[in-house]
Amino acid sequence: MPLIQHIFAATDLSGASLHAVDRGFALAAATGARYTLMHALGFDAAEPLRNLLGEQADDVTRRALAHQREALAAVARDPAHHHGVQATLLVEPGLPTTVVPAHVASTGADLAVMGARGEGLLRRLVVGSTASRLLRKSPCPVLVVKTPCQGPYRRVLVPVDFSPGSALAIGLARELAPQADLVLLHVFGAPFEGMLQYAGVSPDIVHQYRIEARERALQQLRALADEQGLGPDNCTVLAEHGDTVALITREQERLGCDLIAMGKHGTHVTAELLLGSITKRVLTEGDADVLVVVDKRGPGQTAP
């Protein structure tokens, strides 16, 4: 059964946020998934608007909803956007920070798509409250779109930490970009290297220790690639030592990867999902689209 059967995209109808709409349409066309497209107006007549306009508040809300619904429908009708896909349209008066995560969950979406930049309340989407809440609460993977959709993804970088989430990221990347080359990158540390340096061990010995750590990491990467049915014709494995985010962004740029697929992890303590600092920094500092894959299992749980 396909992993992606329902794609949900949110837009504020700005030019930049329409990149996400286009990517969602393209992915829906490629996968055969249902597509839901949502716009949130960013206000609610229940309180501040009613205090300002009194009995006119409901009428203003209705007119605003009708206007924005037609604007969203115009996008969905445009062949330049829709790739032959008929989308279900939702327009809500509420704040994106509230209604977007709620609808992603209630519609049972398998993938949420959001633009990396917007206008108004969605201007700072990657580091702002809407994306932060969606990335923390979404029960499904979230694709943060930073670039115009110019065809299928061609090369995908998958940072690997050998957790179950790494396998999930590879599997989802292969479904969303079946023709793309995959690059599996593991950023490693050599255990006790700092202690060896502090103890005055020869730099040559420390260097050899790092070489051996890299070779072990490469062996693990090759084994993971084999498990996922990947071969040298469509997969490259890299093991590098250094700062994780700097290496992810460097290799993404060097290799021309147009998508980064990486995981976040669930916790048995809270219903929310933990978005690690590395994922946050890649979202902020990288210039490729980023697919954040959900591993909802608690610590120590294995893949089904």
Side-chain angles (χ1 to χ4, degrees):
M1 178 181 295
L3 297 173
I4 304 299
Q5 300 183 58
H6 181 195
I7 297 172
F8 185 105
T11 177
D12 66 357
L13 295 173
S14 66
S17 77
L18 291 179
H19 297 332
V21 172
D22 291 345
R23 178 61 69 180
F25 271 121
L27 291 174
T31 62
R34 293 186 295 116
Y35 190 37
T36 298
L37 188 56
M38 179 179 183
H39 171 67
L41 270 67
F43 65 81
D44 191 335
E47 287 297 335
L49 194 63
R50 190 175 301 282
N51 292 338
L52 178 66
L53 299 175
E55 294 181 358
Q56 293 182 320
D58 289 335
D59 183 55
V60 169
T61 300
R62 282 193 295 271
R63 283 184 286 164
L65 284 169
H67 180 274
Q68 295 302 89
R69 186 175 291 110
E70 175 52 33
L72 189 64
V75 171
R77 289 193 301 265
D78 188 344
H81 294 288
H82 65 56
H83 294 272
V85 172
Q86 184 172 356
T88 298
L89 305 183
L90 295 175
V91 179
E92 296 284 348
L95 296 173
T97 50
T98 301
V99 297
V100 171
H103 277 280
V104 168
S106 66
T107 57
D110 301 304
L111 176 69
V113 184
M114 300 285 288
R117 290 290 186 271
E119 294 176 352
L121 290 172
L122 294 183
R123 181 193 299 269
R124 298 176 65 236
L125 187 61
V126 170
V127 295
S129 56
T130 301
S132 177
R133 183 169 296 189
L134 180 60
L135 287 163
R136 283 188 290 111
K137 287 184 172 292
S138 175
C140 68
V142 178
L143 175 61
V144 179
V145 177
K146 298 187 173 189
T147 59
C149 179
Q150 298 177 332
Y153 290 118
R154 300 178 302 277
R155 180 167 290 173
V156 183
L157 178 65
V158 185
V160 171
D161 62 3
F162 300 112
S163 70
S166 296
L168 290 172
I170 293 170
L172 191 56
R174 294 187 72 190
E175 181 161 324
L176 294 179
Q179 304 303 317
D181 295 326
L182 266 64
V183 179
L184 308 187
L185 170 65
H186 177 64
V187 180
F188 70 92
F192 312 115
E193 180 180 339
M195 185 182 299
L196 295 176
Q197 293 174 336
Y198 180 77
V201 174
S202 164
D204 291 340
I205 295 177
V206 173
H207 180 66
Q208 182 61 35
Y209 185 55
R210 189 179 293 175
I211 290 175
E212 293 173 359
R214 174 179 281 108
E215 184 55 39
R216 287 193 297 271
L218 287 171
Q219 291 175 1
Q220 287 181 281
L221 285 169
R222 295 185 188 107
L224 177 62
D226 288 343
E227 291 173 3
Q228 297 298 314
L230 298 169
D233 57 328
N234 61 359
C235 179
T236 301
V237 297
L238 297 174
E240 299 291 344
H241 181 275
D243 179 80
T244 300
V245 175
L247 286 168
I248 290 173
T249 55
R250 185 194 75 183
E251 292 304 310
Q252 174 265 314
E253 182 176 355
R254 182 179 73 86
L255 297 170
C257 299
D258 45 7
L259 177 64
I260 300 173
M262 57 196 308
K264 64 176 181 176
H265 302 282
T267 167
H268 62 293
V269 176
T270 173
E272 291 194 353
L273 294 166
L274 300 178
L275 190 63
S277 60
I278 291 175
T279 306
K280 288 179 182 178
R281 287 181 58 197
V282 170
L283 282 164
T284 302
E285 299 175 24
D287 59 8
D289 293 357
V290 181
L291 174 66
V292 182
V293 179
V294 178
D295 179 9
K296 293 181 286 186
R297 295 180 295 269
Q301 292 179 274
T302 57

